[in-house]
């Protein structure tokens, strides 16, 4: 009886619940990647599909990360300052704006598809570019839903309704797993996967919309954001979004453009390795940062710097307690992990060996890249958006430079070797910026 009570109490913890739901989503994503690797291997088709998905995913990530922490304080402030009706008009206007933005971006991507693919994968053959362009046009409608999903996710997080948002990692992969299962014998399986991702984004938009409705949101489809609303939105979200565009754009250079110049299969080799590390970072660092931000924002709004610093130290300790054992496990078992996850079907011995080596070096960065969103939450809670962006832009240029230098010497493995170095520099930089804002990670300061 006592054990069951402890389990129920633990599940009621927002952080544990979000981490559990995120882990469930990542499991589905891994299953999707495993099936894709088994069916397609590290082939030209796999490279084309990954590149086709990359920009829609980047726009989704920019929409999510550029707003996930920066807009939560804004919505919390406006909810306290406005009447119930005025607040729902504000939310509706911003959601409608996001939908219009999504439609406009989708049309633009469809038109510019050939140029975009050439820029994303300069090492592709003409046949590979044609295949990637076709798949990209199928994936582009993912962008239609991404900004709306981001806004609803912020609204729900600001109300401490984390569960539906945490399922974002499960919905699209669930569609992909179903599509691969149904189309396994089809020669056009890559096309099935591309369609599944688009349907998954549409499904997740419906899910967060319904959860916001359940939480009391009364959507007004004809509402539009006023001038003051747009100004607040710009002030809160513009700098972080610009920062994430530059940061994630540099990640595309490091994970796709440079690997595309190595050989056929370079993009997919890097992709399959980084997906595991990225999933672990999301489960650990992003979950802790997301659930802790509202409380840290309240501490800052109340002028309690010492409490903010104390909460941040506790979050960093949690992150390290989970991430360091994971790093050790990767170091000891990186080859076995890759073989277990991907060593099936068309994923041959050469692919396993190369992916394992890339995974080892990326895995060494896990503890540090998990600390980054937790540390950034300390800056977001203080609305220090300029510092967040400055750190992102600085590290984007440093990261691309290091990756290019390491690539020149060690090739594909060298790109992966540069990631732990970049992560360590990034953590040191954010700790310094927090110190400049009066938040100590060593001892309490008076408020």
């Amino acid at each position: 009886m006592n054990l069951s009570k402890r389990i129920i109490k633990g599940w009621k913890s927002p952080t544990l619940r979000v981490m559990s739901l995120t882990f469930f989503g990542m499991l589905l994503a891994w299953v999707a990647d495993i099936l894709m690797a088994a069916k397609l291997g590290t082939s030209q088709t796999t490279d084309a599909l990954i590149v086709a998905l990359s920009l829609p995913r980047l726009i989704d990530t920019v929409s999510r990360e550029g707003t996930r922490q920066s807009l939560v304080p804004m919505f919390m402030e406006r909810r306290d300052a406005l009447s119930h009706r005025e607040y729902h008009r504000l939310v509706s206007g911003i959601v409608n704006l996001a939908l219009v933005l999504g439609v406009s971006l989708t049309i633009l991507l469809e038109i510019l598809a050939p140029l975009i693919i050439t820029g994303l994968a300069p090492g592709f053959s003409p046949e590979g570019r044609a295949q990637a362009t076709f798949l990209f046009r199928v994936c582009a409608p993912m962008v239609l839903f991404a900004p709306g999903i981001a806004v609803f996710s912020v609204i729900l997080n600001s109300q401490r309704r984390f569960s539906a948002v945490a399922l974002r990692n499960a919905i699209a992969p669930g569609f992909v797993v179903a599509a691969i299962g149904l189309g396994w014998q089809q020669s056009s399986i890559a096309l099935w996967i591309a369609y599944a991702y688009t349907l998954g984004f549409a499904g997740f938009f419906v899910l967060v919309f319904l959860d916001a409705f359940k939480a009391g949101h009364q959507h007004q489809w004809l509402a539009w954001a006023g001038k003051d609303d747009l100004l607040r939105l710009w002030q809160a979200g513009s700098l972080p979004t610009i920062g994430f565009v530059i940061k994630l754009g540099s990640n595309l250079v490091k994970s796709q453009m440079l690997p595309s110049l190595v050989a056929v299969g370079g993009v997919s080799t890097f992709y399959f390795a980084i997906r595991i590390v990225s999933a672990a970072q999301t489960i650990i660092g992003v979950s802790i940062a997301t659930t802790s931000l509202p409380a840290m924002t309240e501490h800052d709004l109340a002028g309690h710097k010492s409490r903010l610093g104390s909460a941040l130290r506790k979050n960093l300790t949690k992150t390290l307690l989970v991430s360091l054992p994971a790093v050790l496990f990767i170091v000891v078992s990186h080859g076995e992990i890759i073989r277990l996850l991907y060593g099936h079907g068309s994923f041959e011995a050469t692919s396993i060996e190369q992916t394992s080596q890339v995974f080892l070096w990326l895995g060494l960065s896990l503890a540090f890249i998990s600390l980054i969103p937790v540390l950034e939450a300390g800056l977001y809670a203080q609305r220090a958006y300029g510092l967040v962006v400055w750190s992102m832009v600085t590290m984007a240029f440093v990261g691309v430079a290091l990756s290019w230098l390491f690539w020149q010497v060690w090739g594909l493995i060298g790109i992966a070797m540069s990631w732990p170095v970049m992560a360590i520099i990034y953590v040191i930089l954010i700790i310094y910026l927090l110190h400049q804002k009066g938040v100590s990670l060593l001892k309490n300061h008076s408020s």
Side-chain angles (χ1 to χ4, degrees):
M1 186 66 179
N2 291 334
L3 178 60
S4 63
K5 286 182 178 179
R6 285 197 296 268
I7 292 173
I8 292 171
K9 183 179 179 180
W11 179 252
K12 289 181 179 179
S13 164
T15 300
L16 181 59
R17 188 165 62 249
V18 168
M19 290 180 74
S20 300
L21 291 172
T22 302
F23 179 71
F24 169 70
M26 292 306 177
L27 277 179
L28 275 178
W30 284 333
V31 171
D33 287 341
I34 289 166
L35 292 174
M36 186 167 73
K39 180 63 179 178
L40 299 174
T42 53
S43 63
Q44 177 179 278
T45 298
T46 315
D47 285 0
L49 177 60
I50 291 168
V51 169
L53 286 165
S54 63
L55 188 57
R57 279 176 166 173
L58 181 143
I59 292 172
D60 170 55
T61 305
V62 166
S63 301
R64 181 178 74 253
E65 298 295 338
T67 59
R68 178 175 54 84
Q69 300 195 86
S70 62
L71 294 190
V72 167
M74 187 203 83
F75 275 107
M76 291 176 68
E77 289 175 342
R78 300 310 294 159
R79 188 172 65 241
D80 292 340
L82 299 175
S83 68
H84 185 76
R85 183 176 180 179
E86 289 173 331
Y87 178 71
H88 286 298
R89 184 202 62 78
L90 166 68
V91 170
S92 299
I94 293 175
V95 169
N96 293 339
L97 174 64
L99 292 174
V100 170
L101 177 62
V103 171
S104 302
L105 283 173
T106 301
I107 293 172
L108 186 64
L109 294 182
E110 295 285 355
I111 294 171
L112 299 178
L115 292 176
I116 291 170
I117 293 299
T118 300
L120 289 175
F124 274 15
S125 66
E127 181 184 354
R129 280 197 296 272
Q131 188 176 20
T133 300
F134 175 71
L135 292 172
F136 179 81
R137 284 183 163 141
V138 175
C139 297
M142 292 164 59
V143 176
L144 192 155
F145 304 101
I149 289 171
V151 175
F152 274 123
S153 297
V154 168
I155 294 164
L156 293 170
N157 283 341
S158 70
Q159 297 175 342
R160 292 181 169 86
R161 294 179 66 91
F162 303 115
S163 297
V165 179
L167 285 171
R168 69 167 298 277
N169 298 297
I171 304 301
F175 275 82
V176 172
V177 169
I180 295 175
L182 292 172
W184 185 263
Q185 301 299 329
Q186 302 294 321
S187 59
S188 58
I189 189 67
L191 181 60
W192 285 57
I193 294 172
Y195 277 122
Y197 269 107
T198 298
L199 290 173
F201 270 64
F204 185 62
F205 175 81
V206 173
L207 176 66
V208 290
F209 181 90
L210 292 176
D211 196 57
F213 178 78
K214 184 179 177 181
H217 173 62
Q218 300 166 2
H219 196 73
Q220 303 169 31
W221 291 104
L222 298 180
W224 194 251
K227 183 178 179 180
D228 290 342
D229 299 333
L230 292 174
L231 181 60
R232 286 191 180 90
L233 192 67
W234 175 261
Q235 290 173 339
S238 60
L239 285 177
T241 300
I242 292 169
F244 273 106
V245 168
I246 296 171
K247 176 182 177 179
L248 296 172
S250 72
N251 285 346
L252 277 185
V253 174
K254 295 179 289 185
S255 64
Q256 291 190 12
M257 291 179 69
L258 289 178
S260 78
L261 297 171
V262 176
V264 172
V267 172
S268 45
T269 296
F270 212 89
Y271 169 85
F272 287 124
I274 202 171
R275 287 281 283 176
I276 306 173
V277 178
S278 175
Q281 182 214 24
T282 301
I283 293 169
I284 302 169
V286 174
S287 296
I288 292 173
T290 300
T291 54
S292 64
L293 179 60
M296 287 198 296
T297 300
E298 289 173 350
H299 292 324
D300 186 72
L301 290 173
H304 297 149
K305 293 282 188 182
S306 61
R307 292 183 183 178
L308 193 158
S310 178
L312 193 53
R313 288 192 294 275
K314 289 178 182 178
N315 293 332
L316 294 173
T317 300
K318 289 180 190 176
T319 305
L320 289 173
L321 286 174
V322 180
S323 61
L324 286 176
V327 172
L328 180 61
F329 182 63
I330 291 172
V331 171
V332 173
S333 308
H334 57 280
E336 289 76 9
I337 293 171
I338 296 299
R339 188 175 296 106
L340 176 65
L341 291 178
Y342 300 127
H344 315 284
S346 299
F347 208 87
E348 300 172 347
T350 302
S351 298
I352 293 173
E353 176 61 27
Q354 191 168 38
T355 306
S356 297
Q357 291 303 309
V358 171
F359 177 51
L360 169 62
W361 286 102
L362 293 176
L364 289 172
S365 70
L366 176 58
F368 296 100
I369 64 173
S370 296
L371 290 175
I372 290 169
V374 178
L375 288 166
E376 286 178 339
L379 293 174
Y380 280 118
Q382 302 173 81
R383 278 82 69 210
Y385 307 128
L387 293 180
V388 175
V389 174
W390 182 83
S391 66
M392 288 180 181
V393 172
T394 300
M395 288 311 304
F397 285 103
V398 170
V400 169
L402 284 175
S403 293
W404 184 84
L405 287 172
F406 281 46
W407 169 64
Q408 292 289 313
V409 180
W410 294 288
L412 187 66
I413 304 299
I415 302 172
M417 291 170 64
S418 69
W419 283 62
V421 180
M422 292 182 291
I424 293 170
I425 296 172
Y426 206 161
V427 166
I428 293 171
L429 177 60
I430 302 175
I431 290 173
Y432 170 76
L433 295 177
L434 283 166
H435 181 75
Q436 292 297 106
K437 290 291 293 182
V439 177
S440 173
L441 300 180
L442 299 177
K443 61 181 180 179
N444 287 322
H445 286 178
S446 58
S447 312

